[in-house]
Amino acid sequence: MPSTPSTGFRLTRRLVLSAFGFCLLGCQPSFAQEDKATATEASSSETPHAQEWLSTKSLIGDSKYQDGFEHYDYVNPDAPVGGTLNSAALGSFDSFNPFIVRGTPAAGLPNFGGGYLYDTLFEQSPDEPSTSHGMIAEAMRYPADYSSATYRLNPNAKWHDGEPITVEDVIWSFNRLKELHPQWNAYYRNVEKAEKTGEREVTFTFDQTGNRELPHIIGDLTILPKHYWEGTDASGKPRDITQPTLEPPLGSGPYKIKIFQPGASITWERVPDYWGWDQPTRVGRYNYGTLNFTYFRDQNAAWEAFKKGGIDDYRVENISRRWATEYDFPAVKSGQVKQMTVPDGNVVSMQAYVINLRLPKFQDRRVREALTLIYNFQEMNRTLFYGLYERQQSYFQNSELAAKGLPNKGELKFLEPLRGKIPEEVFTEEFTLPDYSDPAAARNYLRQAFELFKEAGYERRGTKLVNAETGEPFSIEMLGDDPTDSRVLEPYARDLQRLGITTNIRIVDSNQFTERMRNFDFEMIGMKMYPQSMSPGNEQRDFWSSQAADSPGSRNFSGIKNPAIDQLIDDIVYAKTREDLVAATRALDRVLQWEYYVVPQWYKAEDWIAYWDKLQMPDDHPDYAGLDPFSWWTRDAETAEGASTN
C-alpha cells in the first residue's frame, strides 16, 4: 500500500512514494512465548500448501493469480514507456539511507518495501489483500508447523551494476536491517537466523511455531547489495550503512537516482536494462521515463504548484473544503485537470486525535473518555467538511475485522479469559461515540465529561479545570506540522476550553515534527494511524504492545502498556484459522475502543483524485488498493514516435 502513514493532517496518499506494502512494521516477542517443544503441531493437511514451492502466497485463501500469471488484470500490458511524472513533496531531505533512524530520506526511497530503488523477496499485491508474488525470490515454501521459511532466488535477479543478487546479499540485508532500525528489529524479532541452504536458497528459522504469518512476511524483506555497502566510494572512503549519505546508492529496482539538489528536488530515471521488466508484477507498470520531485514547505504551496501545472501532475486530495469548493480554477474549467473518485477496498485504519499515555495526566481512563465526549464530529463535518465524511469508530473500519454490536461466541473465546482486566463494558455494551446531531447534545456531553473529570480528581476554579489536590491546570498541547492543521485542531481546542481545559496549538516544521514523533515528544496529535491489512498479525505488536511503548521509532504512539492487549495481539498472531483471526481482531478492536486511547475523527472509503490530462490510465483500477499510479502513462509517451512499451 502507500508509504508510511502520515502523521499530522497531511494525509496525502502518494502511492508513487513506495512499493505496495500492507503489513507494516511490528513483531515484538510474544506476550506468552510458545515453547517449540510443546507447541501444537499442525499436520500438512491442516496447513494449506505446506512444503510446496509457491510463487504466489496469500494469507486469506488462494489468489486469483495463479503461478505463472503474466500481469495484473487491471494493467495495460502495452502501455507506452517514457515521459515524466512530476510530483510535489513536503519538507526536505538530507539522506539516501532510509534504513537508519537518523536523517530524512528523499522521496522515492522506501520506509517499507523497496521504493523505487530496491526490490524485495516477494512483493505485496495492490489487487488482492494479504497476497504477495515473487520478485527477487521466484518461489518460497514452509513446513506444516510454520517453524521456518525457505526462499529460492530468481537466477535473473541482478543489481544495476550487473552483479547477480545472491543468497549472501539476502542474509547480510536481514542481519543489518535488524541492527539498523527498531522497526525492522521488531518486524523480524521472531526470526532467529537466516542461512544458506542451497545454491539459490536461503532459509529463515523462527523461534516459535504456529505463527502462520511469519513465512509470509519474510517476503517483505528489502534486499541490499552487500558488495556495494562493504566497498568504497569514489574518493576511496569506506561506505558506512549506519550513517546518512547523499551518495546515490546501488539498487536493483525499476528506477535509480539521476540528479538531485539536497532538500529541494530529486529526479529518478527508469532503468532500461532492469532485470524485472518481464516479471508479472512489473508488466504494464512503472511506465514513466523519469520521476521528478520538487519540495515545498507546506500543503498550501504544494496546492498552488498543482494548479500551476508542470510541477505536480496528480494529487490525492484529502481536504474536503478544497475538494468541494476549490476545484474551479481555469485548468479545471478547460478540462486540462480532471477529477475522479475511486472506491478504496483497503481496511480504513484509525484517524484520530492521539493521546500520549506516557504523561500521567492521560493515564486515567475517565479522563480519556471525557476527552472523547467533548469532541463534536457532527458540527465539524457540517461546517468544515461539507458533510463528506463519516465518523470513524473502529481501528479496522470498512472491513469484516471491525467490531460491531456485542461480542459473539468467537470473540468471547478471547475476551472471557481477560474479564476483570479489561473494561466491563466490553461485554455488556455496544461501543458508540457521541452524537451531536441533537442541538441539546452539546450541553449534556459537556456535563458528562465534567463529571468524569471530577471522578478523576479535577475541579473548576474560576474558568480553569485544575487538579483538586495540586491546583495544577489541566492543559493540552496539540502538535501539528503544517499550518493547515490548525483548521481541524482549533474547533476541538475551543470545545476543550469550554470545560476549562487550557489548550495550545503548536505547529513545527516537518523535520522537527518527525523527530518529536520518533521520540514520542508530544501530548496530543491528529494523525492517520498505521495502514492495516485484511490479515493483521505481527505488526500489531509494534502498534500496541507494552514493549513497543518505550521503543523510540515504534508505531505505538499512544504509549499503550496493557497486558490484556498484549495477550490479544498474541491471539491474533497465533490464530489457527481465518475465523479465529477475525474474532481475535474484533476482540482487540473492542478493547482499544473501550480504553479510549484516542479520540476518533472521520473517514471516507474512497479516494479523491485530481490529475492533469497529460496522464493516461487503464480502464480499471486495482480492486484492493483502489489506485495504482504506476499503471498509468503519459500522453507524450503515447504519441511519441517510436514509443516503446513494457
Side-chain angles (χ1 to χ4, degrees), residues 465-588:
L465 183 69
V466 302
N467 186 298
E469 290 186 3
T470 67
E472 181 181 359
F474 191 92
S475 63
I476 298 177
E477 180 186 82
M478 298 177 168
L479 185 67
D481 68 339
D482 191 280
T484 59
D485 291 355
S486 296
R487 177 171 174 262
V488 290
L489 291 173
E490 288 175 353
Y492 185 35
R494 287 194 297 269
D495 288 338
L496 293 169
Q497 289 163 1
R498 292 178 61 194
L499 199 66
I501 296 173
T502 301
T503 59
N504 173 47
I505 297 173
R506 184 173 183 186
I507 306 299
V508 299
D509 65 56
S510 59
N511 290 342
Q512 184 180 354
F513 184 87
T514 299
E515 189 63 25
R516 289 186 63 168
M517 292 303 297
R518 282 174 179 164
N519 293 290
F520 312 125
D521 181 16
F522 70 94
E523 294 192 357
M524 178 183 284
I525 55 167
M527 65 177 291
K528 180 78 168 180
M529 300 174 88
Y530 359 87
Q532 293 283 7
S533 78
M534 287 294 291
S535 185
N538 297 273
E539 77 288 345
Q540 303 302 307
R541 290 169 172 159
D542 197 50
F543 299 166
W544 327 112
S545 77
S546 298
Q547 182 164 351
D550 294 324
S551 299
S554 84
R555 300 306 188 263
N556 187 349
F557 293 110
S558 297
I560 297 170
K561 288 185 176 181
N562 187 329
I565 286 178
D566 293 337
Q567 181 59 59
L568 288 170
I569 293 170
D570 274 354
D571 291 335
I572 291 171
V573 169
Y574 295 108
K576 290 180 168 44
T577 66
R578 176 69 185 173
E579 183 181 15
D580 276 352
L581 177 67
V582 172
T585 304
R586 289 175 179 170
L588 173 65

Side-chain angles (χ1 to χ4, degrees), residues 341-593:
T341 299
V342 179
D344 188 346
N346 283 293
V347 181
V348 178
S349 55
M350 178 62 76
Q351 180 167 320
Y353 301 102
V354 176
I355 302 164
N356 192 344
L357 274 70
R358 298 171 185 85
L359 303 176
K361 62 185 173 184
F362 295 132
Q363 289 175 6
D364 192 311
R365 187 172 78 104
R366 293 167 296 190
V367 167
R368 303 193 299 269
E369 181 180 359
L371 296 176
T372 301
L373 286 170
I374 295 170
Y375 175 54
N376 187 339
F377 163 74
Q378 282 75 20
E379 178 70 9
M380 189 177 287
N381 195 33
R382 182 181 65 83
T383 59
L384 295 182
F385 304 147
Y386 298 84
L388 295 174
Y389 290 124
E390 297 180 59
R391 186 71 194 271
Q392 181 97 29
Q393 179 144 318
S394 169
Y395 287 77
F396 302 88
Q397 197 83 40
N398 197 41
S399 76
E400 67 172 335
L401 303 172
K404 297 178 182 178
L406 293 176
N408 61 28
K409 183 178 179 181
E411 296 167 50
L412 288 172
K413 179 173 72 172
F414 301 106
L415 292 170
E416 283 291 354
L418 303 175
R419 192 182 284 272
K421 301 176 183 178
I422 58 178
E424 186 62 24
E425 295 95 326
V426 168
F427 300 97
T428 60
E429 298 180 36
E430 178 180 4
F431 182 80
T432 59
L433 290 166
D435 185 350
Y436 279 78
S437 301
D438 185 337
R443 182 180 298 274
N444 293 333
Y445 287 131
L446 201 64
R447 184 182 300 112
Q448 293 176 40
F450 182 60
E451 290 301 318
L452 286 167
F453 267 108
K454 283 177 61 179
E455 293 174 16
Y458 292 87
E459 65 184 18
R460 284 288 291 263
R461 293 183 186 173
T463 60
K464 300 293 185 182
L465 183 69
V466 302
N467 186 298
E469 290 186 3
T470 67
E472 181 181 359
F474 191 92
S475 63
I476 298 177
E477 180 186 82
M478 298 177 168
L479 185 67
D481 68 339
D482 191 280
T484 59
D485 291 355
S486 296
R487 177 171 174 262
V488 290
L489 291 173
E490 288 175 353
Y492 185 35
R494 287 194 297 269
D495 288 338
L496 293 169
Q497 289 163 1
R498 292 178 61 194
L499 199 66
I501 296 173
T502 301
T503 59
N504 173 47
I505 297 173
R506 184 173 183 186
I507 306 299
V508 299
D509 65 56
S510 59
N511 290 342
Q512 184 180 354
F513 184 87
T514 299
E515 189 63 25
R516 289 186 63 168
M517 292 303 297
R518 282 174 179 164
N519 293 290
F520 312 125
D521 181 16
F522 70 94
E523 294 192 357
M524 178 183 284
I525 55 167
M527 65 177 291
K528 180 78 168 180
M529 300 174 88
Y530 359 87
Q532 293 283 7
S533 78
M534 287 294 291
S535 185
N538 297 273
E539 77 288 345
Q540 303 302 307
R541 290 169 172 159
D542 197 50
F543 299 166
W544 327 112
S545 77
S546 298
Q547 182 164 351
D550 294 324
S551 299
S554 84
R555 300 306 188 263
N556 187 349
F557 293 110
S558 297
I560 297 170
K561 288 185 176 181
N562 187 329
I565 286 178
D566 293 337
Q567 181 59 59
L568 288 170
I569 293 170
D570 274 354
D571 291 335
I572 291 171
V573 169
Y574 295 108
K576 290 180 168 44
T577 66
R578 176 69 185 173
E579 183 181 15
D580 276 352
L581 177 67
V582 172
T585 304
R586 289 175 179 170
L588 173 65
D589 194 25
R590 291 183 189 281
V591 177
L592 291 171
Q593 289 172 329

